[in-house]
């Protein structure tokens, strides 16, 4: 008799990297629960493949706790949690504080509260993993995205603390990408500028993040580690 594996939760999977990773997990017959905030074609596509979509607005504590409560009506165990949801906002003159608070909530408060409230679900699975998707930019800071970078650096700190707290039952790791996929509005000049920042000079696409997730889920001897996936920006 084959038993169904516990689901993997991935946040912000309605598009782009999160959608790709959710699709790849489903390709491997891995049950998926995903969070979304906006109805998108990707959300419907995941539902049609049997993934369970749970609405989430991580911009405040109440929204995060409401998501956690709804999540627990769908499952009593989790193989892994992949914290992918993110807002990438530059400083907005006159609105700096609300943008900072929003990114603090999405990048730090949501992973913090979900990790605390869902540890019991993870402990019902062996092995069990948490993966925080951060950003290579925390290595040196960012002039154009100060609040974004600071809140992603806080996520890197959560990786270290939760790895210590949850060992040995749950592994906790991070992935720090530099640009893996452009956004639709990115013009040719911007794309050229960004590609020139890395030694490898390519737009690799979301598969490189799935490969990193797969490595962390499959390796029993890695915790408290953040994988750099940056095309060699640090050696350029
Ligand atoms: N793309 C890249 O080149 C890089 C990406 N990264 C990181 O990789 C991860 C994936 O990147 P990418 O796919 O581009 O991410 P996106 O910018 O596409 O964001 C992913 C999802 O996060 C969700 N989200 C944003 N704010 C909230 C919120 N307040 N509450 C709930 N959900 C929210 C959105 O959901 P919805 O659409 O449903 O509103 C969105 O679809 C992110 O953590 C990102 O910071 C790091 C470096 C480079
Ligand atoms: N949530 C997001 N975070 C980031 C994105 C994005 O599109 N959504 N994009 C980047 C850029 O690609 C940046 O790495 C270019 O230097 C960073 N974070």
């Amino acid at each position: 008799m084959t038993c169904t594996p516990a689901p993997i939760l991935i946040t912000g999977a309605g598009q782009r990297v999160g959608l790709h990773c959710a699709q790849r997990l489903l390709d491997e017959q891995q049950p998926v629960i995903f969070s979304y905030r906006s109805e998108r074609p990707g959300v419907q596509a995941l539902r049609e493949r049997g993934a369970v979509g749970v609405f989430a607005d991580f911009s405040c504590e109440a929204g995060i706790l409401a998501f956690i409560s709804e999540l627990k009506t769908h499952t009593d165990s989790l193989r892994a949690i992949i914290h992918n949801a993110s807002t990438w906002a530059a400083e907005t003159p006159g609105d700096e504080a609300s943008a900072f608070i929003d990114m603090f909530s999405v990048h730090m408060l949501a992973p913090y509260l979900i990790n605390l409230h869902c540890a019991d679900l993870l402990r019902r699975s062996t092995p069990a993993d948490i993966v925080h998707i951060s950003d290579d930019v925390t290595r040196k800071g960012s002039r154009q995205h100060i609040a974004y970078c600071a809140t992603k650096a806080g996520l890197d700190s959560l990786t270290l603390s939760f790895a210590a707290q949850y060992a040995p039952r749950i592994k906790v790791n991070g992935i720090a990408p530099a640009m893996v996929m452009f956004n639709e509005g990115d013009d040719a000049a911007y794309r050229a500028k960004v590609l020139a920042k890395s030694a490898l000079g390519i737009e690799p696409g979301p598969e490189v993040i799935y490969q990193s997730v797969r490595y962390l889920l499959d390796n029993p001897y890695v915790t408290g580690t953040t994988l750099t996936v940056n095309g060699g920006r640090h050696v350029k």
Side-chain angles (χ1 to χ4, degrees):
M1 182 187 73
T2 55
C3 58
T4 307
I8 288 180
L9 166 66
I10 180 164
T11 66
Q15 64 178 6
R16 295 164 57 80
V17 171
L19 175 60
H20 179 81
C21 290
Q23 295 277 27
R24 297 284 283 107
L25 290 167
L26 291 168
D27 291 346
E28 317 216 348
Q29 312 306 313
Q30 165 61 54
V32 168
I33 298 176
F34 66 98
S35 89
Y36 67 96
R37 184 183 49 172
S38 314
E39 273 297 340
R40 296 178 184 278
V43 172
Q44 192 50 33
L46 292 177
R47 289 192 188 110
E48 285 166 5
R49 292 192 64 182
V52 174
V54 179
F55 172 83
D57 182 350
F58 294 142
S59 59
C60 65
E61 178 188 5
I64 298 164
L65 295 178
F67 166 77
I68 293 165
S69 296
E70 176 65 20
L71 170 71
K72 291 186 173 183
T73 69
H74 294 282
T75 187
D76 63 2
S77 65
L78 286 171
R79 165 63 185 83
I81 301 172
I82 303 169
H83 294 287
N84 169 77
S86 169
T87 295
W88 185 45
E91 272 52 55
T92 40
D95 196 24
E96 294 90 347
S98 63
F100 194 114
I101 290 164
D102 181 59
M103 287 185 279
F104 162 78
S105 197
V106 184
H107 298 155
M108 290 186 67
L109 187 61
Y112 175 74
L113 291 177
I114 292 168
N115 291 349
L116 289 175
H117 287 271
C118 296
D120 55 334
L121 278 65
L122 287 165
R123 289 193 186 99
R124 295 195 183 104
S125 171
T126 301
D129 286 86
I130 293 169
V131 180
H132 296 141
I133 301 187
S134 182
D135 191 314
D136 178 60
V137 78
T138 63
R139 207 167 22 88
K140 59 183 179 53
S142 171
R143 282 173 294 178
Q144 273 84 28
H145 297 85
I146 300 169
Y148 166 85
C149 186
T151 56
K152 285 287 193 174
L155 183 59
D156 292 343
S157 177
L158 293 179
T159 298
L160 298 172
S161 299
F162 277 111
Q165 168 81 275
Y166 284 172
R169 286 289 294 106
I170 305 166
K171 296 184 278 120
V172 184
N173 293 289
I175 299 169
M179 186 283 297
V180 293
M181 53 192 309
F182 287 112
N183 281 283
E184 273 172 27
D186 294 339
D187 64 23
Y190 174 77
R191 290 170 185 245
K193 186 182 79 169
V194 171
L195 291 173
K197 288 182 178 179
S198 77
L200 298 179
I202 61 167
E203 176 191 17
E207 180 65 7
V208 298
I209 303 303
Y210 181 71
Q211 290 169 327
S212 305
V213 167
R214 195 73 263 160
Y215 167 78
L216 292 172
L217 297 183
D218 294 344
N219 193 307
Y221 198 51
V222 177
T223 196
T225 295
T226 293
L227 299 180
T228 294
V229 185
N230 71 355
R233 279 196 181 198
H234 56 291
V235 296
K236 176 79 176 182

